[in-house]
Amino acid sequence: MRDFVIFGDSTCDLNRELREKYEIEYVPMNFVLDGKEYPASLDWEAMTAHEFYEAMRSGKRITTTQVPAELYSEKFGQCVNEGKDVLYVACSSALSGSINMARIVAKELMEENPEAKIICVDALNSSFGQGLQLMWASEMRKEGKSIEEVEEFLLKNRNCVNQCGTVGKLDYLKRAGRVTASSAFFGNLIGIKPIIISDAKGQNFAIKKAKGFQNALKEIALHQKEMGIDLKDQIVYISHADDEASAIALGEQIKIETGCKGVFLDYIGPIVGASVGPGTIISYVVGKEETIIGEA
């Protein structure tokens, strides 16, 4: 059985410590600010997370790009040349077209190297929802599972990663086209916070609304309590867009409601951050399979 390398991309939001612990590689996307293109580093090398989100708060628009085909070819090709297979767990295809390009490159490389396997899995999620699946893959690899066994597990369980959060402003998601059209009306309601999940297709979908921030925290915690399984044995992952205080408050609320084992907090990276905007907080638990499909 050939060894395989696990890749994510700039939307998986795993910091250097986690990537090193789980031996996970990633292919970077890029973002554009003031006409200049920067690598979307998960280690915030071009600018700090605070500087990034302050630029958005000041009214500057940040756009993003997909992973270039040449980079996929370089990274995946290097593994193939070393006699290793590749497992790429990609951002939801409902949010990014990068997985489509990766599959094209993978097909070409496998035609040139018939002994190689390059498997691309659509995480149907992003941020820690994607990151959790990468960590699962790493743990299974460590247990000696084959790349096909890992793929089968991810495809079966990816919708069991339950996302629930809210945003500072829905305008960013609407402008980026990263939320279902039927959810857009929430953005016009003063004092209302949309409660957003990742639906069964990997789309951001506002399932309900809450009046005020505290009620939003309660709704998120209750949703995760309903969806989570064996939460007393789980670490709940929370990512935030430069709003650590709100992320901590959400973590405390989730602890109260679920009795979870603990909470892990970190920043939403530049690619997801450019779409969701400052003030966003998102939580992730593992549990029931998500079956809701948001209306277009």
Side-chain angles (χ1 to χ4, degrees):
M1 186 171 64
R2 284 161 56 105
D3 190 15
F4 60 97
V5 180
I6 299 171
F7 282 90
D9 51 44
S10 293
T11 64
C12 73
D13 292 349
L14 296 180
N15 62 30
R16 184 186 298 276
E17 183 179 353
L18 286 173
R19 297 196 314 273
E20 290 179 351
K21 176 181 177 180
Y22 289 96
E23 297 182 300
I24 293 166
E25 304 290 334
Y26 83 101
V27 280
M29 299 165 176
N30 296 295
F31 68 88
V32 180
L33 172 62
D34 290 335
K36 183 177 179 181
E37 190 165 306
Y38 300 87
S41 168
L42 295 177
D43 303 317
W44 297 98
E45 292 158 334
M47 63 186 68
T48 67
H50 180 65
E51 289 170 338
F52 179 91
Y53 288 112
E54 276 296 284
M56 295 185 76
R57 290 186 181 103
S58 71
K60 292 184 178 180
R61 184 170 184 183
I62 299 177
T63 57
T64 62
T65 68
Q66 297 176 15
V67 178
E70 297 78 15
L71 187 56
Y72 280 128
S73 185
E74 175 192 339
K75 296 291 187 180
F76 294 174
Q78 181 179 348
C79 296
V80 171
N81 291 336
E82 293 173 355
K84 298 176 182 178
D85 293 330
V86 172
L87 176 67
Y88 171 44
V89 182
C91 178
S92 170
S93 58
L95 307 177
S96 170
S98 285
I99 191 171
N100 299 322
M101 180 58 68
R103 284 171 172 161
I104 291 170
V105 171
K107 184 174 182 291
E108 292 173 352
L109 285 171
M110 287 189 290
E111 287 173 351
E112 296 168 3
N113 304 272
E115 77 287 354
K117 291 175 186 158
I118 304 174
I119 295 174
C120 302
V121 174
D122 183 349
L124 296 180
N125 218 313
S126 62
S127 192
F128 287 146
Q130 179 185 358
L132 275 167
Q133 295 179 53
L134 285 159
M135 290 187 281
W136 287 348
S138 173
E139 290 170 345
M140 292 183 72
R141 177 179 60 185
K142 189 174 181 180
E143 292 168 359
K145 303 295 185 184
S146 69
I147 191 171
E148 293 88 356
E149 288 175 307
V150 177
E151 177 193 23
E152 181 181 3
F153 179 85
L154 293 179
L155 292 176
K156 182 179 179 181
N157 291 280
R158 58 188 175 179
N159 274 330
C160 295
V161 179
N162 305 113
Q163 169 192 300
C164 190
T166 191
V167 294
K169 293 181 181 179
L170 197 58
D171 297 353
Y172 297 105
L173 277 170
K174 288 164 59 180
R175 187 167 60 192
R178 299 296 191 271
V179 66
T180 59
S182 61
S183 301
F185 80 95
F186 285 112
N188 299 321
L189 301 177
I190 297 174
I192 296 299
K193 303 289 285 184
I195 308 302
I196 299 172
I197 66 165
S198 181
D199 74 3
K201 289 186 175 181
Q203 306 173 107
N204 290 312
F205 178 59
I207 53 169
K208 62 177 70 173
K209 56 185 184 291
K211 188 172 182 179
F213 177 69
Q214 292 300 325
N215 286 331
L217 296 185
K218 180 84 169 178
E219 289 290 349
I220 294 167
L222 289 174
H223 179 86
Q224 298 299 53
K225 179 181 181 180
E226 178 186 351
M227 296 301 293
I229 295 175
D230 296 329
L231 282 165
K232 287 182 172 55
D233 299 321
Q234 278 195 50
I235 299 293
V236 175
Y237 286 79
I238 298 176
S239 55
H240 67 92
D242 200 33
D243 192 353
E244 186 177 31
S246 293
I248 291 171
L250 176 58
E252 291 303 314
Q253 189 68 48
I254 289 175
K255 286 179 186 176
I256 291 169
E257 295 295 340
T258 69
C260 65
K261 183 178 179 181
V263 173
F264 179 89
L265 306 178
D266 211 341
Y267 280 99
I268 295 172
I271 294 296
V272 177
S275 294
V276 300
T280 298
I281 47 174
I282 318 171
S283 64
Y284 298 89
V285 302
V286 180
K288 299 174 186 174
E289 182 176 358
E290 184 57 75
T291 58
I292 292 173
I293 296 177
E295 299 174 11

